[in-house]
Amino acid sequence: MDAPVRPQTLGPCRHAVRVRGNRWASVPPPQPDELMSSWLHRLARANGRSDHTLCSMMFGPVPLLTRDLDLTMPVALLPVLSEWTGISEYRLSELLLTTLQGKVTGESWTGTGCRWVLPLGVYHRVRRHHGLQYCPQCLAEPIAYARRQWRYAFVTECLEHERPLFDRCPTCASPFMFHRMHPDRGQRWGCATCGEALNMPDASAGSKYLLRRQQARLVAAAGSGGARMNCRWVSSLTLFNGYRFLVHTLTSSRLKHLAKTAIIDRDGTLRPSGTHTEFERMGVYLRRPIMLALATWMTDWPDRFLRDVRSSCSSRSVLMGDRRHIPFWIQEVLDTLPTAQPHRLTSQEVQSCARWLRAGGQAISFDGLCRALSLSTWERMLPANRVLLGEGVSGLD
Ligand SMILES: [Zn+2]
Ligand SMILES: [Zn+2]
């Protein structure tokens, strides 16, 4: 197959616009929900500069572009940026992802990541992780720009166009790097790696309403700082911490039977984990079925969740693990689960029971062993017990 031809681009520095004093001649207004990195790129293009030249002229030798600037841009630079552009500092601060702190995550930027924010894997000017998603139809609009929501790990759909988001080029799978993209004369925004147009209409199926409704709720909570849950107000941080717990239940290797019940049996065949990949580092194709499982639980909270927990034989202690701080709206549901520990068999116990049955002249069967060991339905369904009982039936020692 022929490699896609890199489209002719209108790159920076072709028509550098004169600077008037300390003010850019052309300042495109920030668009709704725009990322700082996206707006700086559009500002640079509007003034015929590269992003690097633009930032050097305004901020001097600050290493801004080789960082995740949407998360780490020092607020001390906002007055400078405001002076150069005439946009208020408050409006500029809204372009940063740091506004999520206290609303979505209680942690600040740790240097390696931020909870619920997709990591970019910044390496010089290149991105190694798929930390910025995109919607081809949003990119095809007259003003193409990158949205803040495209960095959120709980966002997988475009609510405006009611379609799934992409997190990589469909042709070469490289990360979406808006800051390195320039439209050609036909307004085609080509992938920064292979040049394939990313703003072309495609035949992707629409997204599920359940998923979009949940996403709209979470995005609203992230913006306002609060949400309604079972007719009472909760802080968005409490809501997101609870979601975090539920994501953990679906990605933990200890609870893979719950994931099978909630995701694979109900919605498809995709296995969400089996690795210890953090949710933020998962591709959108893995995050989507997890968010859909959570949306399904939330339509009938907590009944559907409890049904799945019971049918997957997951116990309260396994669900809680070693977690100390569980949000109240999760804890009150977990407290309704039985606390008794199930009878976990040992190989020796099963083999000696089998020998005892054989000595009494009885046939060795799965049900016979369960009856002799007085196992409850829950205990006989426990995966580890089933394996040992199977070995007992087949006569393994
Ligand atoms: Zn869109
Ligand atoms: Zn590509």
Side-chain angles (χ1 to χ4, degrees):
M1 195 174 76
D2 292 339
V5 178
R6 181 182 287 272
Q8 184 189 2
T9 59
L10 298 179
C13 300
R14 299 192 77 195
H15 307 287
V17 177
R18 196 181 293 275
V19 178
R20 298 185 197 127
N22 266 8
R23 176 70 71 96
W24 293 111
S26 176
V27 178
Q31 296 299 303
D33 196 42
E34 182 162 15
L35 276 172
M36 175 65 84
S37 55
S38 162
W39 181 67
L40 285 177
H41 182 54
R42 292 198 303 116
L43 181 65
R45 289 187 58 245
N47 291 279
R49 316 273 173 171
S50 69
D51 295 22
H52 177 75
T53 308
L54 181 101
C55 290
S56 299
M57 288 175 71
M58 290 191 291
F59 310 126
V62 179
L64 205 57
L65 299 174
T66 50
R67 306 274 188 279
D68 186 345
L69 76 88
D70 296 309
L71 267 176
T72 63
M73 184 170 179
V75 287
L77 297 182
L78 295 185
V80 182
L81 189 53
S82 177
E83 191 185 326
W84 276 84
T85 58
I87 309 278
S88 73
E89 288 177 44
Y90 177 75
R91 179 68 187 101
L92 292 173
S93 70
E94 289 180 330
L95 307 183
L96 295 171
L97 292 173
T98 44
T99 55
L100 294 180
Q101 283 162 14
K103 290 180 179 170
V104 169
T105 172
E107 304 161 348
S108 57
W109 164 255
T110 59
T112 54
C114 187
R115 189 176 273 198
W116 293 115
V117 176
L118 299 171
L120 293 175
V122 178
Y123 182 72
H124 300 292
R125 296 273 287 131
V126 177
R127 306 287 180 257
R128 291 183 297 191
H129 300 324
H130 301 99
L132 179 61
Q133 308 173 91
Y134 70 95
C135 162
Q137 281 170 265
C138 285
L139 282 184
E141 287 181 352
I143 302 177
Y145 65 97
R147 273 76 168 162
R148 284 158 43 95
Q149 289 181 27
W150 293 351
R151 292 286 311 274
Y152 300 169
F154 53 86
V155 164
T156 58
E157 318 298 308
C158 173
L159 298 181
E160 193 182 333
H161 297 110
E162 300 184 352
R163 54 159 297 145
L165 293 177
F166 288 131
D167 67 351
R168 61 199 66 199
C169 167
T171 304
C172 71
S174 81
F176 172 59
M177 294 182 275
F178 184 74
H179 68 291
R180 301 189 72 198
M181 289 164 57
H182 301 276
D184 64 9
R185 292 181 192 283
Q187 289 304 303
R188 288 158 35 100
W189 287 81
C191 163
T193 305
C194 73
E196 185 71 16
L198 300 183
N199 59 337
M200 290 291 121
D202 62 356
S204 289
S207 62
K208 298 200 175 184
Y209 169 72
L210 209 57
L211 203 49
R212 295 200 308 276
R213 189 179 66 174
Q214 170 179 256
Q215 184 177 304
R217 180 179 184 231
L218 292 175
V219 168
S224 67
R228 289 194 77 76
M229 165 145 280
N230 292 347
C231 300
R232 63 176 156 179
W233 184 90
V234 296
S235 79
S236 59
L237 199 52
T238 306
L239 179 72
F240 277 100
N241 284 343
Y243 263 83
R244 191 76 194 177
F245 177 87
L246 297 176
V247 165
H248 179 77
T249 63
L250 290 174
T251 55
S252 165
S253 54
R254 290 184 306 156
L255 288 160
K256 55 189 175 197
H257 294 280
L258 179 59
K260 183 175 181 303
T261 305
I263 300 177
I264 300 172
D265 293 351
R266 183 172 293 142
D267 294 305
T269 54
L270 196 61
R271 190 183 177 82
S273 71
T275 65
H276 294 289
T277 311
E278 274 180 57
F279 186 62
E280 286 80 4
R281 289 178 182 269
M282 290 181 183
V284 66
Y285 61 95
L286 285 177
R287 283 184 287 109
R288 184 173 291 118
I290 293 173
M291 293 310 294
L292 183 59
L294 299 186
T296 308
W297 282 348
M298 287 301 156
T299 54
D300 190 17
W301 181 260
D303 295 351
R304 208 171 293 213
F305 167 73
L306 288 173
R307 266 205 304 278
D308 283 355
V309 166
R310 290 196 180 105
S311 63
S312 65
C313 301
S314 307
S315 68
R316 179 178 179 273
S317 55
V318 175
L319 277 168
M320 290 184 66
D322 54 2
R323 292 174 154 245
R324 299 259 181 275
H325 304 292
I326 297 177
F328 73 88
W329 65 276
I330 298 284
Q331 186 71 61
E332 68 187 10
V333 173
L334 296 183
D335 287 346
T336 65
L337 292 168
T339 53
Q341 293 296 312
H343 181 171
R344 294 182 190 280
L345 298 169
T346 63
S347 176
Q348 199 177 20
E349 194 178 4
V350 175
Q351 298 302 334
S352 67
C353 181
R355 277 195 292 274
W356 178 75
L357 287 175
R358 204 177 295 127
Q362 297 184 50
I364 313 295
S365 66
F366 186 89
D367 286 337
L369 283 170
C370 289
R371 264 197 308 278
L373 289 160
S374 304
L375 297 184
S376 67
T377 311
W378 182 26
E379 288 161 341
R380 64 169 70 187
M381 292 291 286
L382 282 177
N385 286 357
R386 291 179 69 86
V387 170
L388 291 175
L389 289 166
E391 288 173 0
V393 173
S394 60
L396 294 174
D397 274 313

